[in-house]
Amino acid sequence: MILKKAMILVIFSLLGMACYGQSMDLESIRANYQKAVSDKKLCHTMIKGLSTGTESSVHLTYLGAFQMIWAKHIINPISKLKTFNTGKKKIEAAVMADPINVEIRILRLSIQKNSPAFLGYHKNIEEDQKFIQANNKNITSTHLRNMMEALI
């Protein structure tokens, strides 16, 4: 009887994780990226969802980008800076792991173009713009293409 209950619990847990994982597909992450700037709750939800399992360098980049956006929603200046730097490290790690990925470069460019100057996170703007322009033919996502066109 206990084994039967345990099996049912495991099955429902796996189904729950599968459903949750589907809600964090790349297109929904892309769609929510720009909305998170003005929606604190959405930003927090995206961070939680991406923190559960970063399967790729693109997911790691989005996690870092959402964390950097989250810094905008935080009031305490020390926490803002700490959160921003945590996200920055994730984005830079993703760029190092996959330097020819256009989506990662678009996200980094987006953050660098929109970060306050005093944070000093602007050194790759020109490099990323050139890379994106040279490789934009590989972009198939509408959300990503719209983001790229707004940046360049």
Side-chain angles (χ1 to χ4, degrees), residues 15 17 21 23 40 43 60 69 78-79 83 85-86 90 94 97 109-111 114 117 126:
L15 285 172
M17 285 190 289
S23 68
K40 182 178 181 177
C43 187
L60 180 64
I69 292 169
I78 294 168
S79 294
T83 302
N85 286 332
T86 298
K90 285 181 176 64
L109 178 63
S110 168
I111 293 293
N114 291 294
E126 196 173 315

Side-chain angles (χ1 to χ4, degrees), residues 85-103:
N85 286 332
T86 298
K88 177 179 165 183
K89 286 177 187 173
K90 285 181 176 64
I91 289 176
E92 291 304 316
V95 172
M96 293 293 285
D98 195 358
I100 60 169
N101 188 302
V102 178
E103 188 159 7

Side-chain angles (χ1 to χ4, degrees), residues 68 71-72 74-85 88 111-123 125:
M68 293 170 95
K72 179 183 184 295
I74 297 173
I75 296 171
N76 182 308
I78 294 168
S79 294
K80 274 183 178 288
L81 184 59
K82 184 178 177 184
T83 302
F84 184 88
N85 286 332
K88 177 179 165 183
I111 293 293
Q112 288 192 0
K113 276 193 150 186
N114 291 294
S115 295
F118 70 87
L119 291 172
Y121 192 52
H122 294 92
K123 68 179 182 171
I125 290 176

Side-chain angles (χ1 to χ4, degrees), residues 23 35 66 90 114 116 124 127 147:
S23 68
K35 295 175 190 174
F66 279 111
K90 285 181 176 64
N114 291 294
N124 306 102
E127 169 194 342
M147 191 186 325

Side-chain angles (χ1 to χ4, degrees), residues 13-38:
S13 295
L14 290 174
L15 285 172
M17 285 190 289
C19 291
Y20 185 73
Q22 288 174 354
S23 68
M24 291 302 292
D25 70 300
L26 201 49
E27 277 306 307
S28 62
I29 295 168
R30 290 171 179 153
N32 288 324
Y33 176 67
Q34 291 178 316
K35 295 175 190 174
V37 173
S38 59

